[in-house]
Amino acid sequence: MSTATVRLGDVATFVRGITFKPADVLDGVTADAVGCMRTKNVQSKLDETDVWFLPKNFVANKNQVLQEGDLLVSTANSWNLVGKACWVPKLNYECTFGGFISALRATDALVDRRYLYYWFTSAKIQAKLRSFGNKTTNISNLSIKRANDLVIPLPPLADQKRIAAILDKAAEIKAKREQAIAKLDELAQSTFVEMFGEQISKSTKTVNDFFEVNANRYETNLKDADRVSFVPMSAVSEISKTIENEEFREYGEVKKGYTPIKHGDLIVAKITPCYENGKQAIATVSTQFAYGSTEFHTFRSSNKNLVTLLHYYLQTKNVMREGAANMKGAAGQRRVPDSFFKSLPFALPATNELNKFSAAIASQNKRRAEQVRQLAVIETTIASLQHKAFTTGFNA
């Protein structure tokens, strides 16, 4: 028997966020303050590490207070992030949300909130939502009208809850694998701190003494029509990841302001929150002529073990943040300037110690790669389950 379908707008409501100015954000949390989520907080899970607070009088409509089980949806963002959504867990403080995101709130008598979450975040629906974006300058705005017209399969509530429970179990397995990867990342970072943290921080030498920083070597034999590989910011998704996916563009598109990168270069995001989210990697570009985004710093050395050491040093808590402390940028971002590395302490350890560190990291990365491989299998399985859930409802 086929499952009934309805419009999304018939079973859930988009609630738009509040508007405010940066000057309205409070310096600290008070009894009269309300939390405010922004696009930065909309990750795979709700990110509560950097919540802004505003006076409560900014929330005139009680519907703009987040509820457990709401979906926070990015409705104004870069094209590839429009429609991105996360589940809102139970919060221990009153919280609203800003104007670039919306809350999608289920009508509980009609649709299970977890069922709605899995349907809305499925690959098929996310792709459709991105296609609904109305692009203006560099920002794409989600068409709420078209989103409301999306058709959602709607079996009886009992079946919705059964489907959600199966997907919850799969998500739990995925979360355990992600935790294992995070533990390995913590182990690698602690290995660096234990072996070299104090030694490097007290050195009178600097990063610029050991690395070519942002080497600006444009290839004079290239022409505008030549094809070159290009590494965008989106190619770096997590710490300790090597870059392997490159875009290909004409040289004329990337030559101005972009830094050439070579196999083995360390590339690190210049701006917050990108560098705080681990946007750095060792490049494994496959072509002779490659360029990195203008938002990367690049570091080059013939000693690959030294590059690995710098990789983990720049992941150390607050190192990059200190570099951006006195710098300002657009939309509250802070940029680490080139000059910062001329004064950032760095030391050359004894060869045997450096080799020992690199061997330990290589071993840990091998274990990590296996965990990542298993995670990819789990994610493929979840995608398959989601597809089946919203087509046959696990009845076929």
Side-chain angles (χ1 to χ4, degrees):
M1 184 174 67
S2 61
T3 299
T5 58
V6 297
R7 290 174 61 254
L8 173 62
D10 292 335
V11 296
T13 304
F14 281 97
V15 182
R16 295 184 183 273
I18 66 171
T19 57
F20 60 94
K21 298 176 182 178
D24 299 321
V25 177
L26 299 172
D27 291 332
V29 182
T30 67
D32 295 325
V34 59
C36 183
M37 299 295 178
R38 303 109 64 207
T39 52
K40 176 183 178 180
N41 304 104
V42 183
Q43 303 299 326
S44 55
K45 294 181 180 179
L46 184 66
D47 183 356
E48 295 184 68
T49 59
D50 184 16
V51 179
W52 284 358
F53 284 84
L54 300 168
K56 284 187 177 181
N57 59 13
F58 274 82
V59 189
N61 184 346
K62 66 179 183 180
N63 287 327
Q64 292 174 315
V65 175
L66 285 173
Q67 300 177 9
E68 181 180 4
D70 281 348
L71 305 188
L72 267 186
V73 183
S74 183
T75 49
N77 210 322
S78 55
W79 173 85
N80 62 312
L81 294 176
V82 166
K84 182 178 180 179
C86 66
W87 174 266
V88 177
K90 185 176 182 180
L91 302 174
N92 59 8
Y93 51 93
E94 190 172 284
C95 194
T96 185
F97 45 99
F100 288 170
I101 54 180
S102 295
L104 180 60
R105 186 166 296 152
T107 302
D108 292 328
L110 300 174
V111 63
D112 178 74
R113 295 191 178 202
R114 290 298 285 177
Y115 177 87
L116 176 64
Y117 163 72
Y118 284 117
W119 172 81
F120 194 85
T121 57
S122 65
K124 179 181 178 181
I125 299 305
Q126 285 290 295
K128 284 188 175 182
L129 290 166
R130 285 194 296 272
S131 73
F132 294 164
N134 302 314
K135 192 170 184 180
T136 59
T137 61
N138 294 324
I139 297 294
S140 189
N141 296 282
L142 178 65
S143 170
I144 300 297
K145 180 180 183 303
R146 295 183 70 185
N148 276 326
D149 287 336
L150 283 170
V151 174
I152 177 173
L154 204 68
L157 270 172
D159 288 344
Q160 293 178 39
K161 293 181 182 296
R162 178 175 64 88
I163 289 169
I166 292 172
L167 293 173
D168 275 342
K169 185 63 177 178
E172 181 182 340
I173 295 171
K174 176 186 175 184
K176 288 181 179 179
R177 191 64 59 195
E178 290 172 334
Q179 289 169 5
I181 293 171
K183 289 293 184 183
L184 286 171
D185 288 339
E186 291 174 8
L187 176 61
Q189 196 61 45
S190 65
T191 300
F192 164 79
V193 172
E194 289 172 9
M195 292 186 68
F196 304 117
E198 186 172 339
Q199 175 183 347
I200 287 180
S201 64
K202 293 183 178 180
S203 174
T204 58
K205 296 284 190 178
T206 71
V207 169
N208 280 50
D209 290 324
F210 299 98
F211 297 88
E212 290 183 72
V213 182
N214 298 319
N216 194 13
R217 297 176 176 174
Y218 294 124
E219 303 293 344
T220 57
N221 60 327
L222 288 178
K223 299 178 181 178
D224 284 358
D226 287 337
R227 302 290 282 173
V228 300
S229 61
F230 174 70
V231 179
M233 182 73 75
S234 59
V236 190
S237 61
E238 58 186 32
I239 60 174
S240 305
K241 178 178 179 180
T242 54
I243 292 177
E244 296 174 342
N245 50 319
E246 307 148 47
E247 297 178 356
F248 290 87
R249 301 184 181 181
E250 290 184 359
Y251 177 59
E253 293 181 286
V254 302
K255 65 178 180 179
K256 293 183 178 179
Y258 290 83
T259 302
I261 59 175
K262 296 185 182 296
H263 189 285
D265 285 357
L266 173 63
I267 63 176
V268 181
K270 291 182 180 181
I271 60 173
T272 178
C274 294
Y275 60 74
E276 291 182 336
N277 290 339
K279 289 281 190 179
Q280 63 167 282
I282 296 175
T284 55
V285 291
S286 57
T287 52
Q288 181 180 2
F289 303 118
Y291 293 80
S293 164
T294 56
E295 299 305 333
F296 284 130
H297 289 296
T298 64
F299 304 86
R300 183 173 303 159
S301 171
S302 58
N303 186 336
K304 67 177 183 179
N305 289 345
L306 203 60
V307 173
T308 300
L309 185 67
L310 179 64
H311 185 22
Y312 284 90
Y313 177 40
L314 295 183
Q315 291 172 28
T316 306
K317 184 178 180 182
N318 292 334
V319 167
M320 293 291 286
R321 186 178 296 172
E322 288 174 5
N326 298 317
M327 307 301 292
K328 294 183 178 180
Q333 295 177 337
R334 293 184 181 273
R335 185 181 303 268
V336 180
D338 296 3
S339 58
F340 171 64
F341 303 102
K342 292 180 180 179
S343 59
L344 181 63
F346 192 80
L348 179 63
T351 301
N352 65 322
E353 288 296 305
L354 185 57
N355 291 343
K356 180 181 177 181
F357 171 73
S358 296
I361 293 298
S363 175
Q364 291 163 13
N365 282 345
K366 185 177 180 179
R367 293 163 58 194
R368 187 184 193 279
E370 175 58 22
Q371 294 288 345
V372 170
R373 186 194 67 78
Q374 293 180 24
L375 177 61
V377 172
I378 293 169
E379 289 175 335
T380 299
T381 302
I382 290 176
S384 177
L385 285 171
Q386 282 183 304
H387 174 73
K388 190 172 184 179
F390 304 120
T391 51
T392 66
F394 299 136
N395 292 321

